[in-house]
Amino acid sequence: MNDSQTLAEHVLQGLRAKQKALSSAWFYDDEGSRLFQRIMAMPEYYLTRLEHSLLRERAQELAQWISPNRTPLDLIELGSGDGEKTLSLCRTLADQNVDCVYRPMDISAHALAELSRRFESDLPSMALEPTLGDYFEHWPQVPAGRRSVAMLLGSNLGNFDDVSAVRLLRRIHTQLRPDDILVLGLDLKKDPHVLQAAYDDAQGITAQFNINLLRRLNRELGMDFDLERFRHFASYCPLEGVARSFLVSQVEQVVSSSVLSQTFNFSAGESIFTEQSQKYTLQSIERLANNSGFRSIHVLTDPRQWYSMSIWHRVGQRA
Ligand SMILES: C[S@@+](CC[C@H](N)C(=O)[O-])C[C@H]1O[C@@H](n2cnc3c(N)ncnc32)[C@H](O)[C@@H]1O
């Protein structure tokens, strides 16, 4: 989502709505991608550490499920970011002499450049075919006869509301062939205090990440958001199992955009909804698979069952 026309339409619609809202997909400009790397290193953000441990420590088990008997495969990672975690899995596949082409996709050129640097230096033997683009619009061409393994990590599916999550899963289903695989890293429900801290860390990095969205709009749409007059707010609701982030206007103010030739009014305390992060149970993940044309064949979790990695088999005919 780097297209300025799409951003303009999104902001017009999002800031005119009764509950103002902007999509988290726009967080990842170069600075947003850098800040997200810092979030992943925060003590409170257990998601990355647990997922990375699964990919590192259970890589042989995972490799066995996605490439039984060393079946050749194309590993298509949706929203790959800098690929640090996937490197561990790719290393194991390379050690086992699996014929693998790694196809990371991301809307962030910065993230893909980092990923390419990392693979060139740490695993130069891996065949790497990055795609810069939106996974709702683009999909890499995989030669006939090769198995695709799509992968969506970081609990990214949880950033979508229920309707959009199923839409994304159906899109993946449409792109895959029968017997292809989807690997999904999903965050599990747990103590709300742990979840609350993950989205509102003590150092304020998540706050900077959220505020950076306004900086992006200032730069790309000629807006005049005063970054000091908005504040990050995050809250986890145990009833719904959802963490939500907002930017809250600290005063009554008017923000304008020279590109959109528009002004937007904010009352004191009014919020812009910027991100949701759905948390799952192992049962709800299984239901999601069944409702979107997949069958769960294996699940990896850490000992506390804080985080999960599910391996789904694509069932049914190609749509
Ligand atoms: C939360 S980060 C996660 C990165 C990585 N998967 C991980 O788990 O560390 C989300 C990544 O998805 C990318 N992204 C978000 N929406 C996307 C879309 N529609 N198409 C392609 N990439 C997208 C972002 O640029 C960002 O790098």
Side-chain angles (χ1 to χ4, degrees), residues 28 36 40 51 79-81 85 106-108 133-135 153-154 156:
Y28 301 93
F36 189 71
M40 291 193 293
E51 190 170 63
S80 59
K85 290 177 288 187
D106 207 288
I107 40 170
S108 162
D134 186 333
Y135 46 62
L153 299 182
N156 278 187

Side-chain angles (χ1 to χ4, degrees), residues 52 87 90 94 102 110 125-126 139 151 166 174 179 182 188 239 254 257 264 290 304 310 315:
H52 203 167
L87 182 66
C90 287
Y102 177 35
H110 173 82
S125 63
M126 177 60 53
W139 197 270
M151 198 157 69
V166 169
T174 306
D179 297 333
L182 172 61
L188 298 175
L239 290 177
V254 179
S257 161
F264 303 95
N290 296 337
R304 286 181 300 194
S310 291
V315 289

Side-chain angles (χ1 to χ4, degrees), residues 36 40 76-86 102-108 111-113 115-116 119 128 130-131 133 135 151-154 156:
F36 189 71
M40 291 193 293
I76 302 169
E77 184 171 2
L78 312 178
S80 59
D82 65 10
E84 185 182 359
K85 290 177 288 187
T86 313
Y102 177 35
R103 299 181 182 276
M105 292 181 72
D106 207 288
I107 40 170
S108 162
L112 284 182
L115 182 148
S116 300
F119 273 74
L128 183 67
T131 304
Y135 46 62
M151 198 157 69
L152 185 62
L153 299 182
N156 278 187

Side-chain angles (χ1 to χ4, degrees), residues 24-250:
S24 57
W26 295 100
F27 278 144
Y28 301 93
D29 62 355
D30 290 356
E31 180 59 10
S33 293
R34 267 191 288 274
L35 285 165
F36 189 71
Q37 283 176 316
R38 290 182 62 199
I39 288 177
M40 291 193 293
M42 289 176 347
E44 296 94 334
Y45 202 74
Y46 61 87
L47 289 85
T48 307
R49 270 192 309 284
L50 293 183
E51 190 170 63
H52 203 167
S53 301
L54 290 176
L55 283 163
R56 215 174 23 230
E57 289 156 23
R58 311 273 293 274
Q60 303 245 6
E61 182 182 345
L62 195 50
Q64 196 47 46
W65 283 96
I66 65 175
S67 168
N69 305 316
R70 302 192 181 143
T71 317
L73 64 103
D74 282 45
L75 185 60
I76 302 169
E77 184 171 2
L78 312 178
S80 59
D82 65 10
E84 185 182 359
K85 290 177 288 187
T86 313
L87 182 66
S88 305
L89 175 63
C90 287
R91 231 187 232 125
T92 301
L93 292 169
D95 289 348
Q96 296 184 352
N97 292 321
V98 174
D99 167 5
C100 172
V101 178
Y102 177 35
R103 299 181 182 276
M105 292 181 72
D106 207 288
I107 40 170
S108 162
H110 173 82
L112 284 182
E114 283 280 303
L115 182 148
S116 300
R117 254 195 304 278
R118 191 183 298 279
F119 273 74
E120 271 153 30
S121 104
D122 296 358
L123 194 56
S125 63
M126 177 60 53
L128 183 67
E129 296 285 345
T131 304
L132 177 63
D134 186 333
Y135 46 62
F136 280 105
E137 288 163 19
H138 300 93
W139 197 270
Q141 286 293 322
V142 173
R146 284 179 71 90
R147 161 178 272 190
S148 289
V149 176
M151 198 157 69
L152 185 62
L153 299 182
S155 209
N156 278 187
L157 190 72
N159 296 139
F160 296 99
D161 61 31
D162 292 351
V163 172
S164 306
V166 169
R167 186 163 72 94
L168 177 56
L169 290 174
R170 295 231 167 103
R171 162 148 179 84
I172 297 171
H173 185 272
T174 306
Q175 293 300 329
L176 295 180
R177 305 177 183 123
D179 297 333
D180 284 347
I181 298 258
L182 172 61
V183 179
L184 270 177
L186 293 175
D187 197 15
L188 298 175
K189 288 185 179 171
K190 60 183 67 59
D191 183 341
H193 295 95
V194 175
L195 283 157
Q196 182 71 36
Y199 294 92
D200 199 6
D201 61 292
Q203 292 175 74
I205 302 169
T206 322
Q208 287 179 47
F209 179 66
N210 204 2
I211 290 279
N212 182 60
L213 181 56
L214 301 184
R215 187 177 290 116
R216 178 176 191 174
L217 301 189
N218 284 351
R219 187 182 63 245
E220 296 189 21
L221 296 179
M223 300 191 76
D224 57 1
F225 279 106
D226 179 344
L227 307 188
E228 301 295 317
R229 292 177 151 201
F230 283 85
R231 202 169 148 203
H232 168 70
F233 174 75
S235 155
Y236 174 70
C237 171
L239 290 177
E240 296 169 277
V242 183
R244 294 192 178 87
S245 297
F246 302 84
L247 288 162
V248 183
S249 177
Q250 296 299 287

